Amino acid sequence: MAEETAASPEGAGRKCPIGDHHVHREDLRKVWKECHEESFWYRALPLSLGSMAVTGGLIYQGVWNASKRFGTLPKLAVAGVLGYAVGKASYIRTCRSKFQEIGFEGRPGPGPWSGPWSGPPGSGPGHRSCHHVCGECEKKAPAAPAEQVAS
């Protein structure tokens, strides 16, 4: 087991428990897609349709008046857009927890849209700020050459 390399299929899933954990782009894309789809189907669409139905009912009952020039369209459109926005915004906390589950944490904002520039310099996207390297990983990694400064 100590002879396994990271390239072998058995060692591919092995990670240093404290080391610089890298979140893979595929994992980020998967969670990002899940967040978009779930926020749309479970929050944005129902709130949008619900707010449009309530607005339509209020206009039909005479509580609100329809526009003489455009009819009910402007009020229904505003209700739909507001319901959609509130639905998407209400799902941010859930998405943030999903990103934290895969190890993407410590960044400002609710997800990867805060950009790779928001972390410490040199950390790159998806990296934690811990730079620990376990003994086994250190033995396998080739020694890094010293940086040469050009005069």
Side-chain angles (χ1 to χ4, degrees):
M1 187 147 162
E3 296 175 5
E4 292 177 7
T5 63
S8 71
E10 295 84 21
R14 191 175 38 169
K15 296 177 186 162
C16 182
I18 304 173
D20 188 20
H21 176 72
H22 178 74
V23 178
H24 296 285
R25 289 181 189 247
E26 296 82 30
D27 294 340
L28 286 175
R29 283 189 189 118
K30 180 182 173 191
V31 172
W32 185 254
K33 185 177 178 182
E34 283 178 11
C35 281
H36 275 289
E37 289 178 1
E38 290 175 4
S39 66
F40 176 77
W41 289 109
Y42 299 138
R43 301 277 176 91
L45 184 66
L47 282 175
S48 180
L49 293 176
S51 63
M52 289 173 70
V54 168
T55 301
L58 290 172
I59 293 171
Y60 181 77
Q61 294 294 322
V63 176
W64 285 352
N65 294 327
S67 170
K68 291 179 182 176
R69 184 172 179 185
F70 299 109
T72 61
L73 183 66
K75 288 186 173 117
L76 290 175
V78 168
V81 168
L82 286 176
Y84 181 85
V86 168
K88 283 286 193 177
S90 71
Y91 208 74
I92 287 175
R93 196 172 293 158
T94 305
C95 283
R96 184 177 292 154
S97 68
K98 286 183 178 213
F99 281 107
Q100 288 174 348
E101 285 176 11
I102 65 166
F104 194 84
E105 53 189 278
R107 302 249 192 238
W113 51 87
S114 58
W117 50 87
S118 62
S123 66
H127 284 281
R128 291 184 185 166
S129 59
C130 177
H131 297 290
H132 169 78
V133 178
C134 69
E136 190 175 330
C137 298
E138 198 172 67
K139 290 175 188 174
K140 290 180 182 178
E147 293 184 23
Q148 297 178 0
V149 178
S151 306

